[in-house]
Amino acid sequence: MRADARENYERLLVVARDVVAEHGADASLRDVARKAGVGLGTLYRHFPTREALLEALLRTHVDELTARAAEREVSSTDALLTWFRDCVTLNHEYRGVGATLTAALEDSESALHNSCVALHDIGARLLDRAQAEGAARTDIDGTDLFALVAALAWIYDQPSLAPRADHLFDVISSAVLPS
Amino acid sequence: MRADARENYERLLVVARDVVAEHGADASLRDVARKAGVGLGTLYRHFPTREALLEALLRTHVDELTARAAEREVSSTDALLTWFRDCVTLNHEYRGVGATLTAALEDSESALHNSCVALHDIGARLLDRAQAEGAARTDIDGTDLFALVAALAWIYDQPSLAPRADHLFDVISSAVLPS
DNA sequence: ACCTGAACACCGTTCAAGT
DNA sequence: ACCTGAACACCGTTCAAGT
């Protein structure tokens, strides 16, 4: 990649972070290009689809969570809860991004696929441990957890539900980990 | 309302039902007007906002569910589960409509407000009964149930999660009603 | 009273023309 | 190689003109 191209690519991602944080997953791509001081075609060259932009944007975040979970050395149920909370927070950081994250988990074509699988796997391992200890219910797997994460994030995204979102987080996590 | 106006109003709703069923809550309003054989301004006259159209569309459905729940004469936990399932199904009937339904519950300006409150109340009463019998967990209320309904419907709406949606329905309802 | 559709300001996407 | 922005086909929304 040429130096100026790489520069544009980076700048687009930086700007996209802000714009998507403000306007959510359906933010205006034109707006991103404009604020990045870049032609509209340049954005499309680097990110041929909106999903491609979101995937590139989220990949860093997802990898960060995976790394954080990997170095955690606490009791297994605490590690699982922290993983769960971190995932919800990421899903909620950019409004409406849960669909992209859950789709990437299954879609091996996605630029986000490997990152999501890694994050999924580490959560699944924590869940396994908790299940083996009898701390977690045994009728769910890592992908179910991922779905519950995204569903909770959706609740956080709804203005009318946001006030109860923390409570519903507790309800669902206590269903996963009955004390 | 003049006769021709009433006719247009009705036709718009009928067409909207089909279009929203196919394309979800963000369907093209232009498309609705076009298929109804009506000027775009006419649509806007009757439904000044997309939300207004969705609210009118959903009201009938919501009232139906309330009526159905009211005449049910089964054991309380079964009635609660049926209410829960019916609500999820309605939320999923038109993709992306959960936001409208949950917003209407809190927004007294909404044309859907009274209908949603009625549906909420009947569910809340069923939950109360189940809680009194010790069948349902006691740290949630009717509005929490409504939020869980919408979150589940969101899961049903995601192509990658749809295969596990029924299972997650069981997980959440068994968390509400531990057997 | 009610309806219509042109007009406006946006959008996503493509692609010929430039460097 | 890469970038640009005009061009196209859409969209939501408004509103003057019609009946």
Side-chain angles (χ1 to χ4, degrees), chain B residues 2-76:
Chain B
R2 234 165 58 178
D4 55 343
R6 157 127 270 133
E7 236 175 66
N8 283 335
Y9 180 91
E10 305 289 2
R11 185 160 47 241
L12 278 167
L13 268 187
V14 170
V15 171
R17 180 175 307 226
D18 288 351
V19 175
V20 174
E22 189 171 352
H23 295 97
D26 52 355
S28 159
L29 298 185
R30 245 190 173 81
D31 204 27
V32 173
R34 216 155 24 207
K35 283 183 174 138
V38 146
L40 200 42
T42 304
L43 185 148
Y44 274 89
R45 158 176 289 273
H46 288 302
F47 308 104
T49 144
R50 154 175 263 113
E51 275 314 283
L53 176 59
L54 289 176
E55 285 165 4
L57 177 60
L58 292 170
R59 192 167 37 185
T60 327
H61 294 291
V62 172
D63 290 343
E64 231 169 75
L65 285 201
T66 305
R68 211 187 301 171
E71 64 189 23
R72 204 134 39 210
E73 289 296 342
V74 278
S75 86
S76 56

Side-chain angles (χ1 to χ4, degrees), chain A residues 56-72:
Chain A
L57 177 59
L58 293 170
R59 194 166 35 184
T60 328
H61 295 292
V62 172
D63 291 342
E64 230 169 75
L65 286 201
T66 305
R68 211 187 301 170
E71 64 189 24
R72 205 132 41 210

Side-chain angles (χ1 to χ4, degrees), chain A residues 16-17 20 32-33 79 110 126 129 134 149 158 163 178-179:
Chain A
R17 181 176 305 228
V20 174
V32 173
S110 163
L126 294 173
R129 267 209 281 166
V149 160
Q158 306 305 310
S179 51

Side-chain angles (χ1 to χ4, degrees), chain A residues 158-179:
Chain A
Q158 306 305 310
S160 62
L161 299 180
R164 338 177 66 95
D166 281 334
H167 176 238
L168 287 162
F169 178 90
D170 291 339
V171 168
I172 288 188
S173 47
S174 75
V176 171
L177 290 166
S179 51

Side-chain angles (χ1 to χ4, degrees), chain A residues 154-155 161 164 168, chain B residues 102 105 142-152:
Chain A
W154 183 87
I155 290 177
L161 299 180
R164 338 177 66 95
L168 287 162
Chain B
T102 50
L105 189 61
T143 307
D144 292 325
L145 271 192
F146 226 77
L148 291 174
V149 160
L152 271 168

Side-chain angles (χ1 to χ4, degrees), chain A residues 53-126:
Chain A
L53 177 59
L54 289 177
E55 285 165 5
L57 177 59
L58 293 170
R59 194 166 35 184
T60 328
H61 295 292
V62 172
D63 291 342
E64 230 169 75
L65 286 201
T66 305
R68 211 187 301 170
E71 64 189 24
R72 205 132 41 210
E73 290 295 342
V74 279
S75 86
S76 57
T77 63
D78 273 6
L80 180 57
L81 267 179
T82 309
W83 177 91
F84 199 63
R85 153 99 14 242
D86 280 357
C87 287
V88 171
T89 304
L90 170 58
N91 267 270
H92 179 236
E93 194 169 345
Y94 308 101
R95 181 165 25 97
V97 99
T100 299
L101 282 163
T102 51
L105 189 60
E106 312 271 295
D107 174 17
S108 57
E109 301 299 302
S110 163
L112 204 54
H113 181 65
N114 291 338
S115 297
C116 271
V117 169
L119 184 58
H120 164 277
D121 287 352
I122 210 162
R125 239 176 302 140
L126 294 173

Side-chain angles (χ1 to χ4, degrees), chain B residues 1 78 81 92 144 176:
Chain B
M1 185 144 57
D78 274 6
L81 267 179
H92 178 237
D144 292 325
V176 171

